[in-house]
Amino acid sequence: MDTASDLPVFDPRKLDDAYYGNPFPVYADLRRLAPVYRCPDGSWFLTRYADINAVYRNPRLYSSDKRIQFAPVFGEQAPLYQHHTTSLVFNDPPLHTHVRKAFGNALSPKMIVAMESGVVALVDRLLDGIEERGRFDLIGDFAAAIPVEIIGNLLRIPPDEREPLRRWSLAILGALEFGLSAEQIALGNRCVEEMLAFLSDFVARRRGSLSDDEDDLLARLIRWESEGYRLSDLELYHQCIFLLNAGHETTSNLIGNGVHLLLAHPAERERLRADPALIESAVEEILRFESPNQFGNRTTTAGAELGGATIPAGSILTLCIGAANRDPGMFPDPDRFDIGRSPNPHLAFGAGIHTCAGLSVARLEGRIAIGRMLARVPRLRIDGEPVRSRRARFRGFDSVPLATR
Ligand code: HEM
């Protein structure tokens, strides 16, 4: 293929198994021949690092507000619409600035440092069970079990009330995929309602017993006030829903993709074994190579010029993080998995004012979960066919059968 007209039609609403298995050749063709690609539904699909980075860093021209986009999909009264248009990630300043300050204050560096021993204990407990069993599923028995506990701890949700969190999270974030069925939307709506009911009861209990010495994330969000701004109860619930969801599937996928990548690249695994300090750059390379969050979205507030294309006001852009992170203009030999890669300025956590607020939590979980699993189970191997999840926005596996001996 030499010109844009040679490209087969790319429609993010109609993706096939080959794409879910390995979307990177599709991204490479788009990036080379049509880096600002007009999709059949009129939206634009961006694949070049420089363009995506420029969009992230200009929130005035490229808005995160999704009201116009989500109204026809969900309906303005629908719980999914109410949730997604209230959460900070889908808002612009000034609302975004207020809520982001509250999050910045709540997820303090001190709190992150204090989390480490809890993450180690949790990972070791899971590994004890796994070593005894000999065979296990990397996702269900390990990767998916970690974030739910960590965010549950951050918000101090009692352990016996955490069971539905993963199901809620998958359904609510799943409703951001392309080409949704009526059943998926109905399930997402039901899960927002269930989560709101749970949080209104849970926050009321916390408020009723909150003492001055309690300094966890939820206590800080409840008390937060700055420049006359406080979160209303409903805003607080929606931000908590977002927090529980944002740190959930993404981090499971970081852990699942990471362990799978290292098992599939024995030389890199051996490098890590010989030099465990490489775990920090290994986590960055996993985030770049198989970015858990593959897409972001923005809407133009005025006409824009990007990569030689003229884009009208009100256009919807998909920022393909997964493609930006394999851009040869930014990363030498981008399709090589290199756990020592440096520098590695990937966009897996986005960039600009909406840069992931939980990136230190995610890095901590990734470092401990992946590092300890490979160190403690030296004979770990893939023992069956891994199953990729059929989701384009969130890249990960539904299951990866592993054996410990
Ligand atoms: C590997 C794991 C993770 C990945 C790949 C990831 C990725 C991202 C990305 C790409 C964004 C930017 C969205 C945009 O600009 O459109 C974002 C935002 C956000 N993430 Fe994460 N995330 C991860 C884990 C977490 C965790 C563990 C938490 C919470 C504990 C979290 C909380 C947030 C929040 C609150 C935002 C919204 C920030 C804002 O709009 O200002 N994330 N994340």
Side-chain angles (χ1 to χ4, degrees), residues 89 96 100 103 242 246-247 250 293 298 348-350 353-354 356-358 362:
V89 76
H96 172 264
R100 179 79 197 207
F103 269 66
F242 179 70
T250 47
N293 191 347
R298 294 294 187 268
F349 291 121
I353 63 169
H354 288 278
C356 178

Side-chain angles (χ1 to χ4, degrees), residues 342-362:
S342 174
N344 192 350
H346 62 74
L347 295 176
F349 291 121
I353 63 169
H354 288 278
T355 300
C356 178
L359 51 78
S360 306
V361 180

Side-chain angles (χ1 to χ4, degrees), residues 122 197 205 268:
L122 168 65
R205 280 188 272 147
E268 293 305 288

Side-chain angles (χ1 to χ4, degrees), residues 299-332:
T299 307
T300 49
T301 56
E305 295 286 327
L306 257 183
T310 303
I311 302 179
S315 300
I316 295 168
L317 312 184
T318 296
L319 316 181
C320 185
I321 296 172
N325 285 343
R326 300 272 191 121
D327 186 338
M330 195 63 196
F331 301 98

